[in-house]
Structure formats: C-alpha cells, structure tokens
Amino acid sequence: MKKQAKIIRHFFILFPLLMLVGCWDMEEIDQRAYVLGIGLDKSDVKGFIKITYLISNPEAGSTQQGGGTSEPTHETITFNASSFIHSQNIANAVIAKAITYDILDFFIVSEELAKDKDFVRWMYDATKDREIRRDSKIIVTKENAVTFIDRNKPKLETRRHEYFETMFDHATEIGYVPDSKIHNFFRITEADADLFISAYATTKQDEVTARKNVDENFIAGNLNITGDTNPAQFLGSAVFKEGQMIGKLSVQETRLTLLLNKEAINPSFLVAFPDPFKKNYYITARFTQVTSPKITVDVSKPVPIIKVNLPIQAKILTDHSMVSYADDEKKRAELKNHIKKGFEQRINDLIKRSQEEFKADLFGFSLVARKHFLTIPQWENYDWMRSYPEADFSINMDITFTEFGRQSELPSYERIRD
C-alpha cells in the first residue's frame, strides 16, 4: 500500500510538469511583430524582389491597461530579399521583435511584377510557410506596392487591419472587387483551365477620369472624386493566366464575371442606367443574385456548347423621368426588356473578349464541363484551354422585379409643374 501511495504521489507531482512543457517557447503578444500585409515589387537585383512589410501594432488603441497608448498603429519597412520567407530574418536587423505572419491578410503586388512571367515563382513561397493562411488575399496595384502602402492612409480607421478587412468585405459584397484568396490563385493556376481574377487598386487618380462615375467606366484610378479622404481606390480586377497577369476588368466586367461564376459569392449591387423612355435621365436599381446561374455544357463535340440562364432580382429605386413604372404594366414590360437586353449584350461582349483577348475561361465553366468526363486523362485530352475560345454560347437573363422603392407611386411631372 505504501509503495502504491508513493507511485500515486509521484504521478500527481510529475503530471503538472508535463502540461507545462508546452509553454517553454511561449511568446507574449507584445514580443512579436505582426505583419499585416506584404508588398511585392520588382527589384533591380536579378533573382531578388523588393519586400515591404506593413507591421501592425496590437497595443495601439488598447484600453486594457487603463487607457490607450501613444504608440503608432503601424510601421513599414522596405528592402531587397530573395523571398518573403528569407525576409523575416532580414527585417530583424532593424525590428526588435520577432517577425510573424500569423495575421497576414494580404499581398500587395505591383502591376509591373504581376505581369512578369517569373511572378508565380515567388508567390508559391506562400505554400511553404505554415504561418501563411490560404485565405490571404492578392491585391494588384497600378503603382509600386511600396507607394500604395505609403499613400494609403485611412482617415477614420486608425488600425490598418480593421480598414482592410472592412473595405475588402464590403467591396466584395457589392462586386467592386472579386474574392482574391491565394488558395484560388493556386487552385486555378494548377488546374490550367480557367483564369484567376484578383482585386485591382491604386492611390493615384488618372489625369483623365470618368465624368459620369458609372460602373461601366469604373476601374481603379478612373474614379473622379475630391475631398479630404484616403486616395486609395479598390475598383475592378486583374486577370491572371497561368500565374501571370494578362489584363484588367472594369467594375462592370468584374460584376458580370461574378454573376456567371457558380463558385463566386452572389453579389448585390446598385447600378445606374439610362431610362428607356427618357434617355437624359438615369434609373438606379439594385440587382441581386439570389440563386446561382443554371449552366449546361455540351462537350460531345470538339466545340463546346454552353447555355446559361441567369436569374436576377431587380429593385427600382429611382424614377427621374417620373414614368411611375409601378402603375403601368406595359411600361414595366418595356423596362424589363430594356434591362434584359442590356445585360445580355454586355455579357456577350465580355465572353467575346475572354475568347479573343484572354483566350481562356473567365467564368469557371470548366467546373461544369469536367463532370462529363469519367477520368482525368479524358478531361486533359479534351484540353479546355484550347476548346473554350471556340465555344458557342446562349445567354438568357431571367429578370424579376421585387419592388419600386418605398413609395412606388409618383405624381406626374406635368401635374406638379402645372
């Protein structure tokens, strides 16, 4: 009994020590430098890239110790490195805390580097480091990444991680930019059948900007805006083929791409378009995709036949011509036909551009097509990248009106002016 009691006593003494072993390399939050974003630019040194770290300060704005601190919310550092893995140690020459990618949220890539055929070599380093999450995003910028990071200064969101998270979530929801996760970049690049699109942004406004600020002209830098605000614009998308940027899409083209892609987040967005009865006035409508498009792909012949039925709900929110569509069934039918033709024409134009300019599937139709093949070799022999540019399309829009604003009926303009 004494021997058994001794064993039990030693067990209870040693067992807590086993639990404490996992804490030997513990680091407090304030002992680590959290990289929120990594900027990637071309370097003048062959085989190297220019790395910019946007490091977030977790203590800034904290009230846990009786009030906020006077420390800055972030700091930046730029240098040459062979990779953004090797750069972690290089940064510690001037950053006292250990560099970590635990909360890394985005890669900011200059357009110049994204168009380089070797860009994909550096991006695949993200698959090696366990700290880098696959939901980190790729943002392509018109200017150098270091310039974008330096000039991007939010006025209301003092903590940068909150700004980028809020901005990206809302811009994705309304279709200004696509969901740009690096996981999809790797998946689509390796599948070798589709195109990948990522967010496009800039802090430099073009000399010639859009006069009307309607989405068909929207792309980062083209938005005409003034005021004391952050100059950063997240508008449109960059197009990648086989890991290399080959073009750009406007906001209108980005939204149409998302509407046609069954795997994309269903967007809901506002659009202004000319009134079919009075061309000088614009109607504002909210278009919502409640369900994914119905897509059929016939691959029984070398030239695929793709049919798309796209259901869209339309909520009419302005009526400057004061036609009062809610009261007139005939005019509602004409408005529906006007919207339907407008959508179908723009979609067909975008499909034609994808076939002739990009020469690859922009909409993820390959995910539907490959289901018709029993084996991977059969699918690879069909060669979707080669077959898609010759594909025949049939697009049908199914427009449903939900409501015509809070007050659907409007008095006639002539009656008001009488």
Side-chain angles (χ1 to χ4, degrees):
M1 288 294 294
K2 289 183 178 181
K3 184 176 181 180
Q4 187 177 7
K6 188 176 182 180
I7 292 173
I8 294 174
R9 186 165 59 251
H10 280 95
F11 172 79
F12 281 107
I13 293 174
L14 295 174
F15 182 71
L17 296 178
L18 294 174
M19 297 176 64
L20 294 174
V21 169
C23 303
W24 70 273
D25 61 346
M26 182 185 68
E27 288 182 320
E28 298 293 341
I29 291 179
D30 59 358
Q31 294 175 338
R32 309 182 80 181
Y34 291 89
V35 177
L36 176 62
I38 298 178
L40 302 177
D41 289 308
K42 291 191 75 171
S43 171
D44 53 2
V45 181
K46 189 173 179 60
F48 281 68
I49 54 175
K50 186 178 290 184
I51 305 287
T52 300
Y53 278 161
L54 175 59
I55 301 174
S56 179
N57 182 3
E59 293 185 311
S62 174
T63 58
Q64 292 182 356
Q65 298 182 357
T69 68
S70 59
E71 296 180 3
T73 59
H74 67 280
E75 66 176 305
T76 59
I77 178 175
T78 303
F79 51 90
N80 282 339
S82 63
S83 70
F84 51 79
I85 306 298
H86 180 217
S87 60
Q88 288 179 282
N89 276 177
I90 297 177
N92 278 131
V94 292
I95 303 294
K97 300 176 182 179
I99 300 294
T100 178
Y101 293 159
D102 276 350
I103 65 168
L104 178 64
D105 197 31
F106 52 87
F107 291 90
I108 297 175
V109 183
S110 68
E111 184 174 338
E112 181 186 20
L113 178 61
K115 288 182 174 179
D116 192 298
K117 61 182 176 58
D118 289 330
F119 165 68
V120 71
R121 297 178 186 271
W122 282 289
M123 274 312 301
Y124 260 91
D125 291 339
T127 65
K128 303 294 185 181
D129 195 314
R130 294 183 182 275
E131 288 185 344
I132 299 177
R133 306 190 316 272
R134 286 297 186 101
D135 63 349
S136 300
K137 304 168 187 65
I138 298 176
I139 302 173
V140 177
T141 59
K142 181 183 295 186
E143 66 271 38
N144 285 339
V146 60
T147 304
F148 179 85
I149 292 172
D150 288 341
R151 287 172 54 86
N152 189 353
K153 297 178 180 178
K155 298 289 185 179
L156 300 179
E157 300 85 359
T158 56
R159 305 183 75 172
R160 291 298 179 92
H161 70 277
E162 293 179 352
Y163 163 76
F164 278 102
E165 183 178 345
T166 304
M167 170 64 93
F168 220 91
D169 287 348
H170 189 57
T172 304
E173 180 183 345
I174 61 178
Y176 271 1
V177 298
D179 183 24
S180 311
K181 294 183 176 65
I182 60 171
H183 171 75
N184 292 330
F185 174 79
F186 297 135
R187 177 182 62 81
I188 293 174
T189 300
E190 293 173 20
D192 196 29
D194 301 329
L195 299 173
F196 170 76
I197 58 174
S198 71
Y200 189 69
T202 188
T203 56
K204 294 184 177 181
Q205 187 168 289
D206 295 342
E207 292 184 5
V208 180
T209 56
R211 294 179 57 196
K212 295 181 180 179
N213 282 343
V214 292
D215 67 335
E216 61 184 319
N217 300 317
F218 266 180
I219 195 166
N222 196 238
L223 174 64
N224 187 358
I225 191 168
T226 59
D228 183 19
T229 186
N230 184 15
Q233 300 179 13
F234 289 78
L235 293 169
S237 50
V239 181
F240 287 83
K241 183 178 182 180
E242 298 174 342
Q244 180 181 4
M245 181 178 170
I246 60 170
K248 295 177 287 189
L249 299 179
S250 67
V251 167
Q252 177 178 273
E253 292 171 322
T254 300
R255 285 173 165 175
L256 294 177
T257 301
L258 297 175
L259 288 174
L260 291 173
N261 195 322
K262 296 187 69 171
E263 301 301 317
I265 299 172
N266 293 345
S268 176
F269 49 83
L270 296 170
V271 173
F273 57 90
D275 192 305
F277 292 96
K278 294 188 177 182
K279 303 292 185 181
N280 292 331
Y281 298 101
Y282 277 71
I283 293 174
T284 297
R286 176 175 293 280
F287 295 115
T288 303
Q289 185 181 30
V290 179
T291 59
S292 298
K294 297 178 181 178
I295 301 171
T296 59
V297 181
D298 183 356
V299 291
S300 61
K301 298 178 181 179
V303 176
I305 300 174
I306 302 173
K307 296 181 180 180
V308 180
N309 184 68
L310 186 58
I312 296 291
Q313 288 186 352
K315 182 187 294 186
I316 306 301
L317 299 175
T318 65
D319 184 6
H320 295 166
S321 64
M322 304 188 80
V323 170
S324 194
Y325 289 103
D327 296 334
D328 195 322
E329 184 176 350
K330 183 179 179 181
K331 289 183 178 179
R332 281 202 309 273
E334 290 187 42
L335 177 62
K336 179 183 289 189
N337 188 55
H338 177 71
I339 295 173
K340 175 183 171 69
K341 286 184 176 180
F343 260 112
E344 291 176 353
Q345 179 62 50
R346 288 168 175 79
I347 290 174
N348 284 319
D349 289 344
L350 180 57
I351 289 173
K352 183 178 180 181
R353 186 185 178 198
S354 72
Q355 291 180 304
E356 296 180 356
E357 180 181 342
F358 302 142
K359 298 186 184 303
D361 183 358
L362 186 61
F363 314 98
F365 294 138
S366 68
L367 296 176
V368 179
R370 70 181 62 192
K371 296 178 182 179
H372 297 286
F373 297 88
L374 296 177
T375 65
I376 293 177
Q378 287 180 350
W379 164 248
E380 292 176 344
N381 289 335
Y382 191 78
D383 195 353
W384 184 257
M385 189 77 80
R386 177 187 57 79
S387 302
Y388 173 81
E390 304 298 326
D392 293 327
F393 280 87
S394 175
I395 306 297
N396 178 61
M397 296 295 302
D398 183 8
I399 306 294
T400 303
F401 288 127
T402 56
E403 60 181 56
F404 291 81
R406 183 178 179 183
Q407 180 178 322
S408 58
E409 298 181 9
L410 295 178
S412 69
Y413 180 76
E414 290 75 13
R415 179 182 175 187
I416 292 175
R417 302 299 297 175
D418 184 9

